[in-house]
Amino acid sequence: MSVKAFELVPAVERELLMGDKARINIECIECCGKHLYVGTNDCFIHHFLLEEHATTKGMLSYTVQKLLFRYLGLKKPVEALKAASALERIIVLCDATVSVVDMITLEPVPSGGAKIKGVAAFCVNENPVNGDPFCVEIGVISARRRTVQIYMVYEDRVQLVKEVNTPEQPCAVSLDGYFLCLALSTQYMILNYSTGAAQDLFPYDSEERKPIVKRIGREEFLLAAPGGLGMFANAEGISQRAPVNWSESVMGAAVCFPYVVALDEGFVTVHSMLDQQLKQTLSFRDGHILQDFEGKVVLASTKAVYVLVPLPLERQIQELLAGHRVEEALTLTEGARRNIPKDKFQILHKRILQQAGFIQFGQLQFLEAKEHFRTGQLDVRELISLYPLLLPASSSFTRCHPPLHEFADLNHLAQGDQEKVQRCKRFLITYLGEVRSTEGANGCREDVDTALLKLYAEQDHESLLDLLASPNACLLAESAPWLEKHHKYFALGLLYHYNGQDSAALQLWVRVVNGDLQDSTRSDLYEYVVDFLSFCSNPDLVWKYADWALQRDQTIGVQIFTRRPVGQDQVKEQKDQVKEQKDQVKEQKDQVKDQVNPDDVITYLGKHSQALLLYLEHLVLGRRIQKEKLHTHLAVQYTDRVLSLLSQSPTADQQVSLARDKLQLLLRESSLYRVQLLLGKIQEYDQLFLERATLHGKLEEHDKALHILVHQLKDFPAAEAYCVRGSASRDPAYQQRLLHLLLGVYLDRDLPSSTGTGELEMAAVDLLNRHGELFDAVRVLDLLPEGWSLQLLRPFLGRALRGSMHACRTSQVALGLARSENLQLQHDRLKQRRSPVLVSEKKGCVLCHNTFSEPDCVCLPGGVPVHTHCAAQRVVRDSPTRRQLANSNNHT
């Protein structure tokens, strides 16, 4: 999983450093900005100036100028160099002594107090705890004792601050704040020199390999662990990163985020700190120094110095993407967040996510691609543009430059694999359906919805109708030809309707229903058109297509009118109910313009008898419009239907029965039709005796109605039910009158009848026994034949007697209550008369506040006098006060 992260660039060649002196070796290096310092084994310090410049290929190279070299005069190798730029000093370790030299002249500081002797190694605290900017804090390993000493280095002196004992002789040290990371003889440890707290890390053998203790960040260190591992540890002794797996013979390490660079005997290896994977390997012989200086990684052999120049992160990421290594590219991008300005990083991150999404899209990894497109805020038209002809011709979109992917279009991506093409189209349908209502579609809603419509139509997708039936931004000019091409005429009609072209929609749907166009989207398209017309706000369109609908099916076609608002009558009725709601009334007035008048509909339906009947039923029975004209018209239609069926030969009994049931129900329930008109139409038909009886009842000709029921139809239960139904909402006297009429019909022997006398007498007996309490017993006894036995009339007589006694006792109770109330009123009157009521011309009435001009008055409870006419008005307003008023004579 390699990636080119660094290039090895020569910095100081052998000839420039040592000329022809073959025994001179490099012992240490230090870099501060453009200044490079090299310590050699012959006790010299060499000072070089490194100038960076770019080559024609865009790579970095260095021009080196040797400024100065200085012999320290100790005849020992220079073991370590550390720059203190704030002091313009170089801290030098040579011959177990730390001294300070001038950074420019390399001359030793003249003061003798700027030396530390007996030093095995030292390090600079890059996170100093001392706030003085003009001193440098260093940690020193004593060569003679098991101690670490903390010094403050000034321009001309050094000062011991702290000395810390260690359990073993330290070999290497790194310092961050108060924390010392030490490599002892057999283990690593973390030591807080302020508190003395120590934390053992893990063991190692310093005799087998050189220890590495490298500070890589605030309170975090990199250590060479057994097994060829590079371990990370923080100040608490915890490893928060996974280790990197490098060579057993590592002799140096450096960090250039997000990479860890390690040097062994023959190679330089580069590992990622993000995923711990080996990213690059460089061959490098005789190397023995590897250090990083403020992001610059410097590498040295014994004879020359090189710089590991990192390639720009964006170039590395693009190389990973070019190799379709998406996860690595994204990991590297996330890791680069802290090294790139926030605004620039956001732009870079979005683009990388979009590129990663297209790579995974090309690999048919649609879930991952969708997530990257969303997170990267991809302009969805970048994806749509891959699909030929989906973007509208009017779209102003142009693809991103440089391009986000390598595909010309979907055909190039699929390479002729139609299954792959179909999978990509299904993905786009899903993706567009999700993003069309989000911010991702802002500014391009027309392009998105039009593309989605084309895909739905092409794929015969079930969501096409949902798209068109909901708010959408589909372009009509682009969508209509596409829908026609795929025979989606119903959907095209919906699109016309959404764009306010109802006439075009209806014309198209009618052609489909008639079979001129083929579209199997809806098998019930005729019913849909009828429903559409019933809610159409354009009356001209309703009249235009109503005849077509009625010719196909009157039962369904009439729904155009039965499902519509009633029109003027209903709106007037609604206005009466909402007089105080002015806004609603105004809205209803506006709607009246688009409504169809019922009278016009009835006239129009004259040539469609079945539809007319259904429409009248809708108005009278459904909407319950109380108009004599409509009720009479419906009753006449029912009557004509019955008479028509009766005139057929043979007669359809079931149809006749259903038709008569409807007619009888209307005749019973309605009181608005013209009775004489209907009676004249059915007078000559003996089959319609029941209807004639109902009509006579409407005319209050109850004797004729009962005569028909008893003598013509011989239907005694119907006659009895007639009386009960006819008096349902009337007073008891009316009910009693009807029952006496029926009893009279039963007992009248003067009228000719085909019914036997015995049957009529039994019917009379049954009537009396069932409703005895409702009859006037005296009148009944006068009517009854003398030969009837009391045993036969026993139930009637029992009920009549109980009823009479109940009425008598009820009257007695009422009389007693009235007497009691009268007695109480007399008592109250006497009490009022016992005490005088004083009125005068100076005293006013409490109700009208006018004075009394005459002695007549009325007393309210409490003896308060008021005018008699004021008391009368109060009684009218508040009837309960009637009992509280009492007339009183004025006593002077």
Side-chain angles (χ1 to χ4, degrees):
M1 305 293 286
S2 62
V3 61
K4 190 173 183 180
F6 295 91
E7 283 198 347
L8 189 62
V9 178
V12 179
E13 301 289 350
R14 172 176 177 170
E15 291 76 12
L16 184 60
L17 178 65
M18 60 193 65
D20 56 356
K21 298 179 181 179
R23 295 184 178 181
I24 297 177
N25 294 329
I26 298 175
E27 295 292 334
C28 60
I29 56 177
E30 172 68 359
C31 189
C32 183
K34 296 181 179 181
H35 299 273
L36 176 67
Y37 300 91
V38 178
T40 59
N41 61 346
D42 59 351
C43 206
F44 274 84
I45 299 176
H46 300 264
H47 182 192
F48 299 92
L49 183 66
L50 298 180
E51 293 286 351
E52 294 181 358
H53 62 86
T55 65
T56 55
K57 296 182 179 181
M59 302 304 300
L60 280 179
S61 65
Y62 290 93
T63 300
V64 182
Q65 178 184 357
K66 190 170 185 177
L67 299 180
L68 188 65
F69 62 95
R70 181 72 61 191
Y71 177 60
L72 299 182
L74 299 175
K75 297 182 181 182
K76 297 287 185 178
V78 178
E79 299 177 44
L81 296 173
K82 294 294 179 182
S85 57
L87 306 178
E88 294 187 352
R89 297 288 186 263
I90 299 292
I91 304 172
V92 183
L93 174 60
C94 181
D95 193 21
T97 302
V98 171
S99 59
V100 181
V101 301
D102 188 275
M103 181 178 282
I104 305 301
T105 65
L106 302 182
E107 291 288 345
V109 174
S111 173
K115 288 186 178 182
I116 307 171
K117 296 184 178 181
V119 178
F122 77 96
C123 68
V124 174
N125 190 349
E126 297 179 22
N127 180 27
V129 296
N130 190 328
D132 189 348
F134 299 106
C135 71
V136 175
E137 184 179 344
I138 64 173
V140 173
I141 297 177
S142 174
R144 302 184 183 90
R145 295 181 297 165
R146 292 183 297 183
T147 61
V148 177
Q149 298 167 330
I150 307 299
Y151 282 91
M152 295 297 178
V153 179
Y154 299 89
E155 289 185 7
D156 54 356
R157 60 189 177 89
V158 296
Q159 178 182 345
L160 178 63
V161 176
K162 187 80 171 182
E163 185 173 33
V164 182
N165 295 322
T166 59
E168 299 177 5
Q169 179 61 42
C171 304
V173 64
S174 186
L175 183 58
D176 182 89
Y178 288 110
F179 295 98
L180 290 163
C181 186
L182 299 170
L184 305 179
S185 302
T186 60
Q187 65 176 350
Y188 289 101
M189 70 178 299
I190 299 285
L191 181 63
N192 186 320
Y193 74 77
S194 176
T195 64
Q199 175 66 51
D200 294 337
L201 298 178
F202 49 84
Y204 86 104
D205 190 348
S206 60
E207 295 181 359
E208 291 185 3
R209 64 181 59 85
K210 177 183 177 182
I212 295 176
V213 180
K214 174 71 179 177
R215 178 188 180 275
I216 64 170
R218 186 178 181 86
E219 297 184 0
E220 188 173 12
F221 305 93
L222 173 63
L223 313 172
L229 297 177
M231 296 289 293
F232 300 93
N234 61 18
E236 298 176 352
I238 300 173
S239 180
Q240 295 180 324
R241 305 176 194 266
V244 295
N245 191 4
W246 56 29
S247 169
E248 289 275 4
S249 57
V250 169
M251 61 183 69
V255 173
C256 182
F257 194 84
Y259 298 111
V260 174
V261 184
L263 172 66
D264 61 22
E265 294 175 352
F267 299 95
V268 175
T269 58
V270 180
H271 289 77
S272 171
M273 296 174 65
L274 304 174
D275 59 12
Q276 292 72 49
Q277 299 297 316
L278 177 63
K279 301 299 182 183
Q280 186 179 6
T281 301
L282 299 169
S283 178
F284 190 78
R285 300 292 178 182
D286 300 325
H288 76 119
I289 298 175
L290 176 63
Q291 289 182 267
D292 58 89
F293 306 98
E294 299 175 353
K296 184 183 296 182
V297 180
V298 181
L299 182 65
S301 65
T302 58
K303 306 298 183 181
V305 179
Y306 300 84
V307 177
L308 280 175
V309 179
L311 271 66
L313 280 175
E314 187 170 357
R315 178 175 168 184
Q316 296 179 43
I317 294 168
Q318 292 301 328
E319 288 185 1
L320 289 171
L321 291 175
H324 293 182
R325 293 156 63 180
V326 173
E327 293 304 323
E328 292 183 70
L330 294 175
T331 301
L332 182 57
T333 304
E334 285 292 338
R337 181 189 297 268
R338 71 179 191 180
N339 294 343
I340 301 177
K342 183 177 180 181
D343 294 342
K344 183 178 179 181
F345 174 79
Q346 289 180 346
I347 297 173
L348 172 66
H349 191 216
K350 288 180 182 178
R351 179 176 175 82
I352 300 305
L353 285 169
Q354 294 169 8
Q355 289 180 271
F358 276 109
I359 291 172
Q360 293 180 318
F361 172 75
Q363 297 171 347
L364 306 186
Q365 298 174 2
F366 296 128
L367 289 177
E368 295 83 354
K370 179 171 68 174
E371 186 60 32
H372 293 327
F373 288 152
R374 281 182 174 178
T375 310
Q377 300 177 12
L378 174 73
D379 184 337
V380 69
R381 293 174 294 181
E382 285 281 358
L383 184 59
I384 298 174
S385 66
L386 280 176
Y387 297 73
L389 304 179
L390 286 193
L391 271 180
S394 59
S395 176
S396 60
F397 171 76
T398 56
R399 286 186 180 179
C400 180
H401 185 79
L404 296 172
H405 52 80
E406 58 189 15
F407 311 119
D409 56 24
L410 188 59
N411 297 322
H412 176 212
L413 183 152
Q415 295 294 313
D417 187 344
Q418 291 304 309
E419 173 61 24
K420 193 172 185 178
V421 171
Q422 292 303 315
R423 291 182 64 185
C424 291
K425 288 183 177 180
R426 288 194 293 270
F427 164 72
L428 184 61
I429 286 175
T430 303
Y431 185 65
L432 292 182
E434 293 176 358
V435 304
R436 65 182 293 262
S437 58
T438 65
E439 294 182 0
N442 286 350
C444 58
R445 182 70 183 276
E446 292 181 349
D447 294 348
V448 172
D449 283 3
T450 304
L452 190 57
L453 178 142
K454 292 180 177 180
L455 283 170
Y456 282 160
E458 180 184 296
Q459 298 293 310
D460 195 21
H461 200 279
E462 60 185 7
S463 297
L464 174 61
L465 303 184
D466 295 333
L467 172 67
L468 293 173
S470 60
N472 65 81
C474 299
L475 294 174
L476 180 61
E478 281 280 339
S479 304
W482 197 277
L483 293 172
E484 289 182 357
K485 173 184 175 182
H486 294 282
H487 306 291
K488 300 296 182 183
Y489 299 110
F490 176 70
L492 179 55
L494 291 179
L495 184 62
Y496 280 135
H497 169 60
Y498 187 80
N499 285 273
Q501 300 183 24
D502 288 352
S503 178
L506 286 167
Q507 183 178 1
L508 195 64
W509 290 336
V510 168
R511 292 182 64 192
V512 175
V513 174
N514 291 339
D516 301 334
L517 298 174
Q518 300 300 317
D519 182 3
S520 60
T521 301
R522 291 195 67 141
S523 59
D524 61 341
L525 184 56
Y526 168 68
E527 290 80 358
Y528 180 85
V529 173
V530 170
D531 187 66
F532 182 86
L533 287 170
S534 69
F535 292 97
C536 181
S537 59
N538 187 340
D540 294 336
L541 286 179
V542 174
W543 295 118
K544 180 179 179 180
Y545 290 99
D547 192 61
W548 168 84
L550 290 167
Q551 287 179 3
R552 290 190 67 88
D553 190 324
Q554 292 189 40
T555 304
I556 297 176
V558 74
Q559 294 176 8
I560 294 174
F561 304 107
T562 59
R563 292 184 180 180
R564 296 183 67 81
V566 177
Q568 299 282 358
D569 295 328
Q570 185 189 40
V571 172
K572 182 177 184 299
E573 183 179 338
Q574 291 176 350
K575 288 179 182 177
D576 295 339
Q577 296 175 357
V578 293
K579 287 182 179 179
E580 297 180 359
Q581 302 176 5
K582 296 183 180 179
D583 295 337
Q584 291 186 11
V585 173
K586 183 178 183 300
E587 182 178 349
Q588 290 168 357
K589 286 181 180 178
D590 295 337
Q591 292 176 354
V592 168
K593 299 177 182 178
D594 298 330
Q595 293 173 347
V596 178
N597 190 290
D599 294 335
D600 296 337
V601 176
I602 292 172
T603 303
Y604 177 79
L605 294 178
K607 57 184 177 181
H608 303 284
S609 59
Q610 185 181 3
L612 176 59
L613 181 62
L614 293 172
Y615 185 66
L616 289 171
E617 286 180 340
H618 165 71
L619 296 178
V620 174
L621 305 179
R623 300 224 179 235
R624 299 190 177 278
I625 296 179
Q626 303 299 308
K627 292 183 68 174
E628 178 271 332
K629 179 180 179 181
L630 296 179
H631 284 243
T632 301
H633 201 159
L634 179 59
V636 170
Q637 289 290 320
Y638 279 159
T639 304
D640 290 344
R641 171 68 174 164
V642 172
L643 297 179
S644 174
L645 291 173
L646 290 174
S647 65
Q648 295 178 2
S649 180
T651 303
D653 293 339
Q654 185 175 3
Q655 293 184 16
V656 171
S657 177
L658 291 175
R660 289 189 66 190
D661 288 344
K662 288 186 176 181
L663 175 59
Q664 292 165 11
L665 179 64
L666 178 64
L667 295 180
R668 287 196 305 268
E669 299 297 330
S670 174
S671 300
L672 297 178
Y673 53 84
R674 294 166 59 187
V675 180
Q676 293 290 358
L677 174 65
L678 296 174
L679 193 57
K681 292 179 70 69
I682 66 174
Q683 191 71 40
E684 299 178 356
Y685 291 87
D686 294 340
Q687 299 97 322
L688 304 179
F689 279 127
L690 184 58
E691 288 79 359
R692 287 168 54 188
T694 304
L695 291 173
H696 283 301
K698 293 293 183 179
L699 294 173
E700 293 290 326
E701 297 174 350
H702 300 300
D703 51 344
K704 294 182 180 180
L706 291 172
H707 183 272
I708 292 174
L709 293 172
V710 173
H711 296 290
Q712 302 294 334
L713 295 177
K714 302 179 181 60
D715 191 345
F716 306 138
E720 186 174 332
Y722 174 87
C723 295
V724 174
R725 184 172 59 250
S727 60
S729 57
R730 310 294 287 269
D731 57 17
Y734 190 88
Q735 185 178 19
Q736 188 181 77
R737 174 178 165 238
L738 290 182
L739 290 173
H740 276 279
L741 281 175
L742 178 57
L743 182 62
V745 172
Y746 283 153
L747 299 178
D748 191 353
R749 298 181 180 181
D750 296 334
L751 293 174
S753 174
S754 60
T755 306
T757 305
E759 292 183 51
L760 293 176
E761 290 180 351
M762 290 306 300
V765 170
D766 291 340
L767 177 66
L768 290 171
N769 290 337
R770 274 195 295 269
H771 304 283
E773 70 278 3
L774 301 177
F775 284 90
D776 184 342
V778 175
R779 290 178 58 191
V780 170
L781 292 175
D782 290 340
L783 289 173
L784 293 179
E786 295 181 358
W788 283 21
S789 67
L790 292 177
Q791 186 64 28
L792 185 65
L793 297 174
R794 182 179 177 182
F796 162 69
L797 294 174
R799 287 191 175 199
L801 183 59
R802 282 195 298 271
S804 177
M805 292 182 66
H806 175 72
C808 177
R809 290 168 181 171
T810 302
S811 300
Q812 290 175 351
V813 171
L815 178 61
L817 291 174
R819 286 176 175 174
S820 175
E821 183 178 11
N822 182 60
L823 184 61
Q824 183 64 43
L825 290 175
Q826 293 290 341
H827 177 264
D828 293 342
R829 183 180 181 187
L830 290 175
K831 286 179 63 177
Q832 294 297 331
R833 285 183 171 181
R834 188 174 303 167
S835 58
V837 177
L838 301 178
V839 294
S840 68
E841 295 180 351
K842 297 181 180 180
K843 191 171 183 179
C845 173
V846 297
L847 295 181
C848 67
H849 304 293
N850 293 324
T851 59
F852 291 94
S853 60
E854 55 186 14
D856 292 338
C857 68
V858 174
C859 282
L860 296 179
V864 180
V866 296
H867 290 121
T868 55
H869 61 272
C870 292
Q873 292 176 359
R874 180 172 178 179
V875 168
V876 172
R877 290 196 310 268
D878 188 10
S879 58
T881 60
R882 187 190 304 261
R883 297 179 180 178
Q884 297 176 357
L885 295 174
N887 290 326
S888 174
N889 293 326
N890 184 32
H891 298 277
T892 59

